[in-house]
Amino acid sequence: METAACPSKQETQDWNRRGMEWLLGTFQIGGLDLESGDVGLCHCEECRKRGSRDGAFSVEDMAMVLPPMMEIVHAHDPQLWTVCSSYDAYKEYVGKPPFMDTIPDYALTTWPVASKNFGLAIVDRPPGAHNIGFIYYGHKANNTQHTLHLQDIQYLCKKAAEKEWEGMCIYGEQAAYFVNNRINYLALAEFSQHPEMSLEEFSRKHLVPLFGGDHSPEQALEEILSREAKAEA
């Protein structure tokens, strides 16, 4: 039994449009992150003609579904951030994914750069007009919701700056009051703004106040890195 709405059908496209117009007319928002995967794929004859129906997403569906939604958002307010998720399309195609030809230049595209599934992957600047790295940590699907990633985040932010990516974001399903996620958030905020900052400087500014007491920056950093190592073992 197929449960995914068929993107080829006019009824689905109209439903998407009405939903977007309702959202923009009901709430004051600063932007939208648009995705078309993780909810199943339609396997009707018309959809199968467009491309592969294997996996959790279809780049052909993305090319059909995302641009009209972006146009509605941009027409409502050009200042709103319009973000779309590429999933791992860049990794799959290496070159320019076909759906990128349909993405307008004002949109921001997120590209996965870290997960337990494919390690750390900062490559040359992707083909979008505006590119953001998406760190898949703090994510139940790859069992990283309770782990620290201080060194990885430092590395990724530095590499992204070198390759002229425009920003970084992190999954972070768990709340900031989980210590590991609070430190991951602090690391992302700090290293994305100051990619040359050392771990010792980060420890002095953020870890020592969190630990309290008489911890030196070196002691606080050693404690955190030892916990990272245990989690990865």
Side-chain angles (χ1 to χ4, degrees):
M1 176 180 178
E2 298 299 337
T3 58
C6 175
S8 303
K9 300 293 188 293
Q10 186 63 49
E11 303 95 300
T12 304
Q13 297 167 22
D14 291 343
W15 183 84
N16 287 338
R17 175 184 51 77
R18 291 195 304 270
M20 183 62 73
E21 291 172 346
W22 171 85
L23 177 66
L24 294 170
T26 305
F27 302 99
Q28 290 186 336
I29 57 176
L32 284 166
D33 182 10
L34 304 172
E35 300 189 29
S36 65
D38 289 344
V39 292
L41 295 173
C42 177
H43 289 260
C44 75
E45 183 177 353
E46 191 171 355
C47 285
R48 288 201 305 270
K49 287 179 181 178
R50 265 201 317 280
S52 172
R53 297 285 98 186
D54 298 328
F57 68 94
S58 161
V59 291
E60 293 81 12
D61 286 1
M62 293 161 70
M64 172 180 285
V65 173
L66 296 181
M69 296 297 99
M70 293 179 177
E71 290 172 8
I72 294 172
V73 176
H74 194 66
H76 177 80
D77 184 352
Q79 298 303 311
L80 293 182
W81 284 23
T82 308
V83 184
C84 69
S85 176
S86 69
Y87 302 108
D88 60 350
Y90 190 49
K91 170 176 169 268
E92 177 185 347
Y93 284 97
V94 181
K96 186 176 183 179
F99 80 93
M100 286 303 300
D101 289 331
T102 69
I103 302 301
D105 286 346
Y106 56 75
L108 294 85
T109 306
T110 61
W111 305 89
V113 294
S115 82
K116 284 192 172 181
N117 298 327
F118 55 88
L120 305 181
I122 282 283
V123 295
D124 289 336
R125 191 177 185 277
H130 304 284
N131 304 287
I132 300 173
F134 194 172
I135 302 173
Y136 275 73
Y137 291 154
H139 189 11
K140 293 178 181 177
N142 60 18
N143 198 31
T144 58
Q145 69 269 35
H146 298 302
T147 52
L148 285 160
H149 302 282
L150 180 58
Q151 294 179 101
D152 286 357
I153 292 171
Q154 180 203 32
Y155 166 80
L156 290 166
C157 289
K158 185 173 182 178
K159 292 296 291 184
E162 291 173 359
K163 299 295 184 179
E164 298 183 343
W165 293 44
E166 293 187 38
M168 302 288 283
C169 58
I170 194 168
Y171 210 97
E173 287 178 325
Q174 304 301 316
Y177 58 73
F178 286 92
V179 174
N180 65 300
N181 278 309
R182 180 162 182 79
I183 294 173
N184 288 339
Y185 294 155
L186 288 170
L188 181 68
E190 192 67 76
F191 290 124
S192 61
Q193 293 295 317
H194 306 102
E196 298 300 326
M197 176 179 277
S198 69
L199 290 174
E200 290 73 18
E201 290 176 293
F202 177 84
S203 179
R204 182 177 296 105
K205 184 173 180 179
H206 296 288
L207 298 183
V208 170
L210 284 176
F211 273 83
D214 298 324
H215 284 85
S216 68
E218 293 75 19
Q219 289 172 321
L221 181 60
E222 182 180 358
E223 175 66 22
I224 289 298
L225 296 183
S226 67
R227 295 186 187 190
E228 267 194 8
K230 289 177 183 177
E232 294 172 357

